[in-house]
Amino acid sequence: MLADLALVGCYNKTAMPTHERDRVMLASAKRNLAAMAYFGLTEFQKMSQYIFEETFNLRFAIPFEQHNTTISASAVNNLRPDQKKRIEELNSLDIELYAFAKNLLFQRFERLKAKDNDFEKRFANLGNIYYKQGVTEFNWDSNIDDALSTDH
């Protein structure tokens, strides 16, 4: 979904050999992901929240929640080795893109962390509304109340 399909003839799968098409699409997806100002990974919610907040200089009022179990995790445990191998073959491009994304996420995190003199406090207090260091709190409810007020 991140690749530029125009590079491979859109949905015309006969425009080039499958192996070349896959290689071009993967390279395009990696390039597009790297060009995004922000992306996060659900497996790394706290890190993703920190990167978002530092990238856009915005603060969340509550911390992201980390859920480490999924229904698919139990299904994977019940697969035979040959089934797992076949799934990995069919999803090899996605697996490689995920590895690239994970590496890129960690690089961005380390780069932002290195620039943050107050990292330990900031990271420990993600989503803590009382620890904002000069950032103005935005409250939708009071904003809506102000907009609907007839006192203006």
Side-chain angles (χ1 to χ4, degrees):
M1 296 305 297
L2 291 172
D4 179 358
L5 293 179
L7 299 173
V8 293
C10 288
Y11 293 100
N12 178 2
K13 292 189 175 187
T14 61
M16 64 177 59
T18 302
H19 178 73
E20 183 180 351
R21 177 184 173 82
D22 289 349
R23 185 187 58 73
V24 169
M25 285 182 52
L26 180 60
S28 173
K30 287 179 178 181
R31 198 171 35 255
N32 290 339
L33 183 66
M36 289 182 181
Y38 169 81
F39 70 90
L41 295 175
T42 57
E43 294 84 353
F44 304 100
Q45 289 290 326
K46 191 168 184 175
M47 186 184 300
S48 295
Q49 179 174 353
Y50 177 77
I51 293 169
F52 181 94
E53 290 187 2
E54 292 302 303
T55 300
F56 298 111
N57 195 27
L58 296 170
R59 303 294 181 251
F60 288 95
I62 58 172
F64 288 8
E65 291 185 34
Q66 184 69 53
H67 300 284
N68 290 325
T69 58
T70 63
I71 294 171
S72 62
S74 62
V76 168
N77 292 332
N78 293 325
L79 293 173
R80 297 185 317 265
D82 64 309
Q83 291 172 317
K84 284 183 185 179
K85 184 175 188 267
R86 182 66 179 142
I87 290 169
E88 288 170 1
E89 289 169 358
L90 292 171
N91 292 283
S92 64
L93 298 175
D94 291 320
I95 292 168
E96 187 173 339
L97 180 60
Y98 177 82
F100 175 83
K102 184 177 172 183
N103 184 35
L104 184 59
L105 184 84
F106 276 79
Q107 286 175 18
R108 289 181 179 185
F109 175 71
E110 290 300 326
R111 189 169 40 249
L112 289 168
K113 178 181 169 182
K115 293 189 319 185
D116 187 348
N117 293 331
D118 205 24
F119 171 77
E120 296 299 328
K121 281 186 182 175
R122 279 267 307 111
F123 197 70
N125 288 287
L126 288 174
N128 181 348
I129 196 87
Y130 300 107
Y131 185 80
K132 293 300 176 214
Q133 291 195 323
V135 176
T136 303
E137 175 188 347
F138 182 83
N139 182 318
W140 278 108
D141 293 330
S142 67
N143 204 16
I144 290 171
D145 291 342
D146 291 346
L148 297 176
S149 172
T150 57
D151 298 338
H152 296 288

